Amino acid sequence: METYIRISGIIKESIVDGPGIRMVVFAQGCRHKCPGCHNPETHSFDGGTLVTVDFILEQAKKNPLLDGITLSGGDPFEQAEAFAVLAHEAKKLNLDIVTYTGYTYEYILENASRNKGWDALLDETDILVDGRYEESKKTFF
Ligand code: SF4
C-alpha cells in the first residue's frame, strides 16, 4: 500500500541542511507558530502537495552524490508515521536522516506513546534538530 506525505516542496541538493550533500523534504503543516518563522507557507495542513514516499525516493535515487535526506518543515513530526516510512526506506539506500522539528526531544520522548509514529521517526533519525525557532538567537553575517 502506498504511503502518502503532504509536502510543501523538495530541494534536490543542499549543502547547508546537514552533513554532506542532502535532499531536503519540507513537510506541510506546523502548529508551532514560532515568531520570525522563515516558512509560514508551510503551516497550513491543507496546503502543499500530497506525494507518495516512492515519489520522494525516486527523486533521491536520481542523485548518486547524496549523503542523506533532511526532513524539514513545517514539522515532520505532524506526519511522523509517513516520514518514518520514508526514512526507513532511505536508509536502505545508504542515506542518513536529519530531522528538524519544533518539538523538543524531551517533549517527543514524553509524548511518543500518544502520537503515532513519533518513536519510529525518532528511531530512524540520525541527527535531530529540535525545538522552536528562536528569533532572538538569530545571527547576522
Ligand atoms: S517549527 Fe519551523 S515551520 Fe513551524 S513555525 Fe517554527 S520555524 Fe516555522
Side-chain angles (χ1 to χ4, degrees):
M1 201 173 72
E2 294 271 31
T3 301
Y4 286 86
I5 301 181
R6 188 170 287 278
I7 64 169
S8 69
I10 291 175
I11 293 177
K12 290 183 179 167
E13 209 170 285
S14 167
I15 55 166
V16 296
D17 293 287
I21 300 173
R22 316 190 63 81
M23 190 171 91
V24 186
V25 180
F26 292 90
Q28 180 71 34
C30 181
R31 310 178 191 280
H32 299 294
K33 298 186 172 64
C34 308
C37 170
H38 288 281
N39 301 318
E41 70 285 355
T42 66
H43 294 181
S44 163
F45 284 84
D46 300 322
T49 310
L50 207 52
V51 298
T52 64
V53 164
D54 283 348
F55 170 81
I56 298 171
L57 291 168
E58 287 308 316
Q59 307 305 307
K61 283 180 195 166
K62 287 179 189 167
N63 188 349
L65 299 177
L66 283 185
D67 294 295
I69 299 180
T70 295
L71 312 178
S72 187
D75 196 322
F77 272 84
E78 302 298 354
Q79 303 178 74
E81 277 185 297
F83 273 107
V85 171
L86 170 61
H88 186 75
E89 295 303 316
K91 292 280 177 72
K92 293 180 186 170
L93 303 174
N94 286 326
L95 297 170
D96 58 29
I97 301 296
V98 174
T99 305
Y100 282 78
T101 177
Y103 296 107
T104 63
Y105 177 64
E106 293 76 15
Y107 184 91
I108 293 169
L109 288 183
E110 282 168 18
N111 293 279
S113 59
R114 291 191 280 117
N115 290 278
K116 279 188 178 173
W118 278 22
D119 272 333
L121 182 53
L122 206 52
D123 279 353
E124 300 289 354
T125 295
D126 298 293
I127 299 174
L128 185 76
V129 183
D130 70 325
R132 295 173 67 182
Y133 173 68
E134 295 181 50
E135 197 171 24
S136 60
K137 292 186 180 167
K138 190 175 180 182
T139 55
F140 295 91
F141 298 99

